């Protein structure tokens, strides 16, 4: 066993290990793998099998150390032994792989992609299929532990830690490096637990990290305690695990523990391992930690009989669980569309997720009003955003605002100006430059009961966070309402005085296609206040798009509508009424449409959708059925833009009411150009909108 460490390893506390429990848990894991590999997979009762054979002893040992009342784990598809140790029942495990009712996702997700919501012991964040996605949410959990302890005076978080569990290849991902950077910079209580089985499917570890040992490579990484050992030597692995956990728990900052283990089966049930060769496979079998455990324990710590009893007991547990699960029902196909968003029960109360966000912990949002209490001077949209954030930070101690430059500078768009001075660095803070880190961290914080408000500096720069955004949106659905991560992602974007492919993208349709996200695109300061507040007090993840040209635009200015004002999502605003046609728009195009209608001197309905997910189908249909003509105007590019969705719905639902084809005016399929001359040539402007209105009315 080698220990490479920039802090010398301390002797582990001499607490007795319950070896019988270790044997029992590891035997259950192995019995599950035996059953799935030998029977359920060939019988096609399990469609995806990811064996943990070779990984089970180290994971069970880790699970035994996670006794903090608020410990949080980010795991992956090979984490089942760890979960079994933390409370996943054998029935739940089998119901999940066999896609039965009572599984952790109700048949919606792969059976080894688990979750374990809990507030009285170790909680496992919803596991994702994407390799490396577990790391930044684990960082968010670790930061939330600190926040809850210091800012919310929540003593249950004292000495609790976060653990991110992954394989050797996962250390090559963006998520790993983002998490490592944040955890060490912020000195968070996070353990990176890396099980190095030598392969990422077929690609050997030396192609994932130079020299093939991530622990050795990180030995000089500042702020990280690094431990390295042989997971096939259970007695010494147990000491290392205990030592690593104890250090993080004691407040020494993050640590990384790498343990080598053999992967004794294929990567998944389909994998023949032809790339390994028989010598390598034989060598791996010789390193089987389960067999070594027996040699190390029997008879010194356990008698032969005790070992056999535990193994037989595990086998019986799995057999009985299989019988029960075989008799259980398949998932309910009628429920497959449920739980993309918060739902209500028959009595009207919220059908709450077990964990994530503020509501499951008893949080009650303050009273709200849909009527604006408009008074005072008109304020611009950026002030509206700032003032709303300020008020919500005041009334809700769980709101945290963060992103690149949002702290001392107050954001590059000035939306958070002065907030750090007022609320302190724990609640309003700068992050390192990692969008994966910003959103992944928000996911972990939301899961831990906070309301994160991350800022993505410009729309285009959400690209590196795409994976975390996607997985956040689907979390409620894929855990069948067990977990959700409500948050408000503020994203400034769109053109300003000029365009360019980096700062001026709109592309809102991508968010609408991102399942599970609510999407707001306000056109003015009053709606911005109401939509932002509604999102901040809501229970679903929300993309709040702040259009750059509106931040200080004069048309968008409105009086502040009050500290209680909210705007319901999915309710369009009918800005003016007319009968010759309906103009449907949102964001920065609304102002142009209003001017164009005036210029064309046509009597028209002007609908500002305000939110695109959900969007107000009813109001749009009602208007179009009345005017019998519709022009949709948006800034996003035309092909498969959101206008296409609206047009498709109108074509189907209002077909016999239409007197003319539905028209769309949008950016052609080009990136936003920089020169104002070029931008003017492609962006819908008042002249072109007015001409389109005139033409459509003439049809
Ligand atoms: C982002 C992403 N890329 C590719 C894959 C396909 N894939 C699944 S597992 C895997 C290898 C991961 O290996 P490692 O992290 O070492 O864990 P192990 O399977 O060895 O336990 C790959 C490439 C994926 N799931 N996610």
């Amino acid at each position: 066993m080698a220990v490479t460490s920039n802090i010398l390893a301390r002797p582990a506390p001499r607490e007795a290990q319950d070896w019988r429990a270790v044997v029992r848990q590891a035997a259950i894991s192995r019995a599950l793998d035996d059953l799935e590999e030998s029977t359920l997979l060939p019988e096609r009762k399990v469609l995806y099998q990811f064996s943990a054979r070779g990984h089970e002893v180290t994971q069970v040992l880790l699970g035994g150390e996670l006794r903090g009342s608020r410990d949080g784990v980010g795991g992956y598809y090979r984490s089942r032994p760890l979960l079994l140790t933390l409370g996943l029942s054998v029935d739940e495990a089998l119901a999940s792989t066999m896609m039965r009712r009572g599984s952790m996702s109700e048949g919606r997700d792969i059976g080894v992609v688990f979750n374990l919501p809990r507030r009285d012991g170790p909680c496992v964040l919803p596991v994702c299929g994407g390799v490396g996605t577990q790391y930044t949410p684990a960082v968010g959990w670790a930061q939330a532990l600190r926040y809850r302890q210091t800012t919310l005076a929540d003593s249950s978080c004292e000495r609790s830690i976060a653990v991110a569990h992954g394989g050797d290849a996962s250390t090559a991902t963006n998520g790993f490096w983002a998490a490592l950077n944040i955890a060490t910079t912020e000195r968070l209580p996070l353990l990176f637990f890396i099980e190095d089985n030598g392969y990422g499917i077929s690609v050997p570890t030396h192609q994932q990290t130079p020299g093939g040992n991530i622990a050795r490579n990180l030995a000089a990484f500042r702020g990280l305690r690094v431990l390295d050992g042989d997971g096939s030597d259970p007695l010494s692995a147990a000491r290392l695990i205990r030592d690593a956990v104890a250090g993080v728990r004691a407040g020494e900052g993050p640590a990384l523990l790498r343990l080598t283990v053999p992967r004794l089966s294929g990567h998944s049930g389909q994998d023949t391992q032809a790339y390994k060769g028989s010598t390598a496979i034989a060598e791996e079998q010789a390193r089987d930690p389960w067999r070594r455990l027996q040699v190390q324990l029997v008879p010194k710590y356990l008698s032969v009989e005790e070992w056999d009893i535990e193994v037989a007991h595990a086998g019986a547990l799995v057999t009985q669980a299989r019988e029960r699960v075989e008799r259980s029902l398949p998932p309910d196909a009628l429920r497959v569309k449920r739980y993309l968003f918060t739902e209500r029960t028959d009595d009207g109360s919220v059908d709450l997720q077990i964990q994530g966000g503020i509501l499951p912990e008893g949080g009650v949002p303050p009273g709200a009003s849909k009527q604006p209490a408009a008074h005072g001077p008109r304020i611009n949209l950026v002030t509206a955003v700032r003032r709303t954030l300020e008020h919500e930070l005041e009334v809700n101690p769980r709101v945290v605002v963060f992103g690149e430059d949002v702290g001392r500078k107050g954001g590059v768009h000035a939306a958070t100006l002065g907030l750090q001075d007022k609320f302190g660095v724990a609640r309003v803070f700068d992050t390192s430059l990692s969008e994966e880190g910003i959103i992944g961290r928000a996911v972990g914080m939301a899961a831990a009961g906070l309301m994160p408000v991350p800022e993505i500096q410009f729309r285009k720069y959400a690209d590196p966070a795409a994976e975390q955004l996607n997985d956040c949106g689907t979390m409620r659905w894929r855990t069948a309402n067990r977990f959700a991560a409500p948050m408000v992602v503020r994203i400034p974007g769109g053109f300003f005085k000029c365009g360019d492919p980096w700062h001026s993208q709109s592309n809102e349709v991508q968010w609408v296609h991102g399942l599970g996200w609510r999407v707001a695109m306000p056109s003015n300061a009053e709606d911005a206040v109401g939509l932002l507040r509604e999102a901040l007090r809501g229970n679903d993840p929300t993309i709040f798009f702040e259009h750059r040209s509106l931040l200080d635009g004069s048309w968008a200015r409105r009086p502040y509508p009050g500290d209680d004002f909210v705007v319901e999502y999915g309710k369009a605003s009918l800005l003016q009424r007319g009968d010759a046609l309906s103009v449907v728009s949102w964001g920065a195009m609304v102002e142009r449409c209003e001017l164009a209608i005036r210029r064309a001197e046509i009597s028209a309905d002007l609908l500002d959708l305000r939110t695109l997910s959900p969007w107000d189908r009813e109001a749009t249909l009602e208007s179009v059925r009345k005017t019998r003509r519709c022009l949709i105007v948006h800034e996003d590019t035309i092909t498969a833009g959101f206008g296409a969705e609206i047009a498709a719905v109108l074509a189907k639902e209002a077909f016999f009411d239409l007197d003319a084809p539905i028209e769309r005016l949008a950016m052609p399929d080009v990136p936003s150009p920089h020169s104002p001359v070029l931008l003017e040539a492609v962006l819908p402007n008042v002249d072109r909108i007015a001409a389109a209105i005139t033409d459509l009315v003439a049809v």
Side-chain angles (χ1 to χ4, degrees):
M1 174 198 77
V3 176
T4 57
S5 173
N6 43 14
I7 304 171
L8 285 177
R10 292 168 290 95
R14 302 230 174 275
E15 211 178 289
Q17 183 82 49
D18 182 352
W19 286 112
R20 251 188 112 139
V22 172
V23 171
R24 189 181 317 136
Q25 295 292 353
I28 290 172
S29 172
R30 195 152 278 212
L32 278 169
D33 281 327
D34 283 345
L35 174 67
E36 289 173 350
E37 288 173 304
S38 66
T39 311
L40 299 177
L41 198 61
E43 288 178 0
R44 300 189 61 74
K45 288 177 177 162
V46 165
L47 300 178
Y48 258 131
Q49 211 270 341
F50 291 89
S51 172
R53 202 182 286 275
H55 287 245
E56 56 277 86
V57 176
T58 37
Q59 288 186 35
V60 168
L61 289 168
L62 173 65
E65 299 299 325
L66 300 185
R67 299 192 206 98
S69 59
R70 300 300 302 248
D71 285 352
V73 176
Y76 77 121
Y77 48 83
R78 228 178 284 289
S79 297
R80 187 165 69 183
L82 175 58
L83 270 112
L84 287 165
T85 317
L86 297 180
L88 177 77
S89 74
V90 182
D91 284 51
E92 286 169 330
L94 269 182
S96 297
T97 47
M98 293 175 75
M99 303 161 285
R100 298 302 175 116
R101 267 180 227 192
S103 81
M104 310 306 266
S105 76
E106 293 294 332
R108 294 160 180 226
D109 207 341
I110 309 170
V112 284
V113 174
F114 293 111
N115 60 81
L116 213 53
R118 271 226 313 250
R119 276 193 293 283
D120 57 350
C123 155
V124 181
L125 302 180
V127 171
C128 300
V131 174
T133 49
Q134 66 272 43
Y135 291 109
T136 51
V139 158
W141 186 277
Q143 189 162 350
L145 288 174
R146 177 181 294 168
Y147 183 88
R148 292 182 68 119
Q149 209 180 310
T150 54
T151 308
L152 303 180
D154 178 354
S155 57
S156 74
C157 295
E158 274 167 25
R159 293 182 61 81
S160 287
I161 66 168
V163 174
H165 175 216
D168 44 288
S170 76
T171 65
T173 63
N174 300 342
F176 174 79
W177 290 98
L180 184 66
N181 211 41
I182 299 167
T184 47
T185 310
E186 304 280 347
R187 288 193 56 74
L188 294 173
L190 175 65
L191 173 65
F192 294 86
F193 185 75
I194 307 301
E195 287 190 298
D196 184 345
N197 63 23
Y199 296 88
I201 304 185
S202 66
V203 182
T205 307
H206 64 79
Q207 281 178 262
Q208 309 288 356
T209 189
N213 182 337
I214 189 69
R216 198 182 302 136
N217 293 343
L218 288 174
F221 204 90
R222 193 154 182 143
L224 183 72
R225 179 162 186 247
V226 181
L227 302 99
D228 189 10
D230 180 2
S232 293
D233 177 355
L235 290 187
S236 64
R239 281 193 292 273
L240 270 181
I241 291 169
R242 182 167 291 177
D243 187 12
V245 170
V248 180
R249 229 183 257 303
E252 290 176 4
L256 180 140
L257 169 58
R258 166 186 174 262
L259 290 173
T260 51
V261 292
R263 193 191 73 200
L264 299 175
S265 297
H267 165 72
S268 67
Q270 283 76 17
D271 178 15
T272 60
Q273 305 208 75
Y275 48 85
K276 274 189 182 170
S278 52
T279 314
I281 289 177
E283 186 271 334
E284 283 183 324
Q285 294 295 338
R287 293 198 290 127
D288 183 352
W290 173 242
R291 293 287 150 226
R292 294 246 184 121
L293 183 70
Q294 189 175 17
V295 171
Q296 289 183 334
L297 295 188
V298 180
K300 192 171 174 197
Y301 298 92
L302 291 181
S303 66
V304 176
E305 292 73 30
E306 284 172 323
W307 176 277
D308 289 344
I309 286 170
E310 292 306 336
V311 173
H313 181 57
L317 274 180
V318 169
T319 305
Q320 290 157 12
R322 181 210 174 167
E323 285 163 8
R324 282 190 295 272
V325 173
E326 291 264 25
R327 287 196 300 271
S328 68
L329 292 169
D332 183 354
L334 294 175
R335 291 170 66 88
V336 68
K337 290 191 199 162
R338 295 196 55 186
Y339 299 131
L340 264 167
F341 295 99
T342 303
E343 294 187 12
R344 295 200 171 264
T345 56
D346 292 341
D347 67 6
S349 57
V350 176
D351 187 0
L352 268 185
Q353 64 273 14
I354 304 170
Q355 180 145 0
I358 290 168
L359 300 186
E361 290 190 49
V364 180
S369 164
K370 291 182 185 162
Q371 294 305 316
H375 52 74
R378 285 150 51 96
I379 55 170
N380 62 15
L381 197 145
V382 76
T383 308
V385 168
R386 191 187 311 128
R387 215 159 142 180
T388 310
L389 289 175
E390 183 175 351
H391 183 74
E392 296 307 304
L393 278 158
E394 254 159 26
V395 298
N396 184 353
R398 292 178 182 233
V399 171
V400 276
V401 173
F402 53 95
E404 293 153 16
D405 304 293
V406 306
R408 285 170 70 186
K409 181 173 168 60
V412 298
H413 310 279
T416 54
L417 203 62
L419 296 183
Q420 189 178 69
D421 282 346
K422 184 162 180 184
F423 296 99
V425 291
R427 303 197 62 199
V428 180
F429 57 91
D430 289 325
T431 64
S432 50
L433 202 165
S434 166
E435 285 74 15
E436 146 91 40
I438 291 171
I439 301 299
R441 174 167 16 184
V443 168
M445 287 179 152
L450 305 184
M451 169 45 90
V453 191
E455 175 181 300
I456 296 290
Q457 207 160 69
F458 291 93
R459 165 69 188 83
K460 172 76 175 65
Y461 304 142
D463 287 1
E467 187 166 45
Q468 291 296 338
L469 287 164
N470 266 312
D471 297 347
C472 177
T474 58
M475 183 185 288
R476 186 188 296 281
W477 181 87
R478 62 193 159 82
T479 64
N481 207 32
R482 294 159 64 85
F483 267 95
M487 67 175 71
V488 181
V489 185
R490 296 180 34 253
I491 309 186
F495 69 93
F496 184 35
K497 293 171 187 151
C498 52
D500 75 75
W502 317 110
H503 304 91
S504 307
Q505 196 183 75
S506 165
N507 195 9
E508 62 270 20
V509 76
Q510 188 182 342
W511 307 130
V512 187
H513 221 243
L515 300 172
W517 284 93
R518 302 198 300 175
V519 181
M521 229 171 146
S523 70
N524 63 75
E526 180 181 304
D527 287 348
V529 170
L531 292 167
L532 180 55
R533 177 165 296 118
E534 173 77 5
L536 290 166
R537 295 181 181 183
N539 192 42
D540 287 302
T542 304
I543 302 282
F544 187 79
F545 197 103
E546 296 166 11
H547 201 285
R548 293 170 64 221
S549 77
L550 300 178
L551 292 176
D552 193 32
S554 56
W555 184 91
R557 293 176 186 210
R558 301 284 191 280
Y560 181 67
D563 287 339
D564 301 325
F565 180 62
V566 294
V567 169
E568 194 179 335
Y569 278 56
K571 295 286 175 214
S573 166
L574 185 58
L575 293 182
Q576 63 181 66
R577 291 174 195 277
D579 48 29
L581 89 161
S582 304
V583 179
V584 180
S585 193
W586 54 89
M589 291 295 114
V590 175
E591 172 187 4
R592 292 174 176 219
C593 289
E594 189 182 275
L595 295 172
I597 292 169
R598 204 177 306 153
R599 183 164 306 173
E601 296 180 335
I602 300 281
S603 164
D605 268 5
L606 174 55
L607 271 174
D608 175 359
L609 287 186
R610 306 198 285 196
T611 67
L612 299 182
S613 174
W615 69 283
D616 197 340
R617 293 162 65 112
E618 291 70 31
T620 309
L621 278 166
E622 189 184 323
S623 170
V624 174
R625 285 191 177 121
K626 178 188 74 176
T627 65
R628 309 176 79 84
R629 286 174 166 78
C630 183
L631 171 68
I632 304 155
V633 183
H634 61 71
E635 174 182 346
D636 197 357
T637 50
I638 191 152
T639 302
F642 194 64
E645 172 67 19
I646 299 172
V649 169
L650 292 174
K652 180 168 189 302
E653 304 287 335
F655 184 74
F656 294 106
D657 299 298
L658 289 169
D659 284 344
I662 299 153
E663 272 297 343
R664 289 180 293 153
L665 191 64
M667 281 268 279
D669 295 335
V670 290
S672 179
H674 183 49
S675 148
V677 174
L678 300 180
L679 185 67
E680 179 65 14
V682 288
L683 201 64
N685 63 13
V686 175
D687 284 344
R688 277 194 289 277
I689 301 171
I693 289 173
T694 308
D695 289 350
L696 188 55
V697 172
V699 173

